Amino acid sequence: MAAVLKWIDDVVGARETPGPTFELRLVSHRMTAAELIRRRVESEVERSERDPEGNVSRLVEPTSAERALNGTRPRKRREIDVEEQVEVALEAFRTNGFFLLFDDRQVTSLDEELVVTADSLARFVRLMPLVGG
């Protein structure tokens, strides 16, 4: 029987309330943290392809310097390389670009096995850099 895992995005220092809750449909109740991140990115890419305006919460966002350099002009639709995005997200996890909390405990290894229950919640937490350093 398939499992459903709820996940939300938090940005510490940016807002007091978490972002919207999303659901991932899973084929198994057990997975590693790396598999969860992969499924999260795949879901993100699917939603991005359905949203022509690009209003999708992303696990790894461009830095403020990248946004300043590239501006906010609309970009041409382009094919998103899922494998590349998965690797970017996994590297961000390895280098503390975001933290993963699963059922209120921090996941510290990509190989950590997670058991999804009906009440499970994955929280992807990014830290907002302080202004001025």
Side-chain angles (χ1 to χ4, degrees):
M1 185 164 110
V4 175
L5 173 65
K6 292 181 180 168
W7 60 269
I8 60 174
D9 288 335
D10 275 340
V11 180
V12 176
R15 59 179 176 250
E16 294 186 23
T17 57
T21 302
F22 299 94
E23 291 185 351
L24 283 176
R25 301 213 180 278
L26 309 169
V27 295
S28 173
H29 290 274
R30 293 180 180 274
M31 64 174 30
T32 65
E35 291 169 319
L36 171 57
I37 292 169
R38 170 178 285 285
R39 287 295 321 266
R40 156 67 199 272
V41 170
E42 290 170 348
S43 171
E44 221 173 71
V45 169
E46 288 171 16
R47 284 182 299 129
S48 181
E49 289 173 349
R50 288 191 307 255
D51 184 351
E53 299 300 318
N55 298 317
V56 176
S57 173
R58 290 179 175 76
L59 188 55
V60 180
E61 296 281 349
T63 65
S64 57
E66 290 172 321
R67 281 193 297 273
L69 179 65
N70 296 323
T72 57
R73 65 188 177 278
R75 295 182 307 212
K76 294 180 183 177
R77 281 304 260 168
R78 65 178 179 87
E79 191 70 26
I80 298 172
D81 184 340
V82 176
E83 290 305 315
E84 179 181 336
Q85 294 306 307
V86 167
E87 286 307 314
V88 168
L90 293 173
E91 183 60 23
F93 177 86
R94 287 184 201 103
T95 59
N96 297 324
F98 68 91
F99 298 95
L100 173 58
L101 302 176
F102 185 81
D103 290 341
D104 293 326
R105 68 181 172 73
Q106 185 172 346
V107 176
T108 58
S109 167
L110 289 171
D111 296 325
E112 187 171 329
E113 185 175 68
L114 310 173
V115 179
V116 179
T117 66
D119 299 322
S120 288
L121 177 68
R123 187 179 299 260
F124 294 86
V125 182
R126 288 186 298 140
L127 301 176
M128 179 66 82
L130 296 174
V131 176

